[in-house]
Amino acid sequence: EEQLVESGGGLVHPGGSLKLSCTASGFTDSPFSSYGMAWVRQAPGKGLEWVAGINRGGGSGNPIYAASVRGRFTISRDNVNNMLYLQMNNLQTGDSAMYYCATGLSGSGLRGPGTRVTVSP
């Protein structure tokens, strides 16, 4: 069974940094490397927001970002170890949300249970 599990969330002050990780497992029919991947987030009381996407393949693989995070967030992947990452710098209170990794560049596929990021003074 394909599964995604996020980790690395927490409480951070404005201007701080966090690195989120997503561990993929059970991708036996189609390998993890064959999927475009994305990070999406949901703030309390708001809808799901796409944050960043990365094409299938290795390394930084032509990532794309939402305007709200471009220049502050970096998405990357490790196809050898079936991992997806999101480095978040200069975090702002508006970045507080539950963060999910998901299959598909748009993040519309399988999602994990999420990891919470809280940015507070």
Side-chain angles (χ1 to χ4, degrees), residues 4-119:
L4 301 171
V5 178
E6 304 88 345
S7 62
L11 173 64
V12 64
H13 295 308
S17 297
L18 282 174
K19 185 174 184 177
L20 306 183
S21 299
C22 172
T23 302
S25 61
F27 284 71
T28 53
D29 291 341
S30 297
F32 173 74
S33 60
S34 69
Y35 287 88
M37 295 294 296
W39 288 95
V40 296
R41 67 186 181 184
Q42 186 165 26
K46 296 188 177 180
L48 207 59
E49 177 188 14
W50 176 85
V51 174
I54 186 168
N55 283 308
R56 58 189 178 183
S60 58
N62 298 322
I64 48 177
Y65 300 96
S68 58
V69 307
R70 192 175 298 124
R72 301 187 297 122
F73 290 12
T74 303
I75 187 173
S76 61
R77 65 190 300 164
D78 175 356
N79 288 332
V80 172
N81 294 300
N82 290 358
M83 297 291 295
L84 181 73
Y85 302 102
L86 186 68
Q87 175 68 46
M88 306 186 295
N89 298 327
N90 191 20
L91 283 160
Q92 305 300 314
T93 55
D95 296 317
S96 294
M98 186 72 83
Y99 283 73
Y100 304 91
C101 65
T103 58
L105 270 181
S106 67
S108 59
L110 174 72
R111 287 204 304 266
T115 186
R116 183 169 297 281
V117 172
T118 302
V119 185

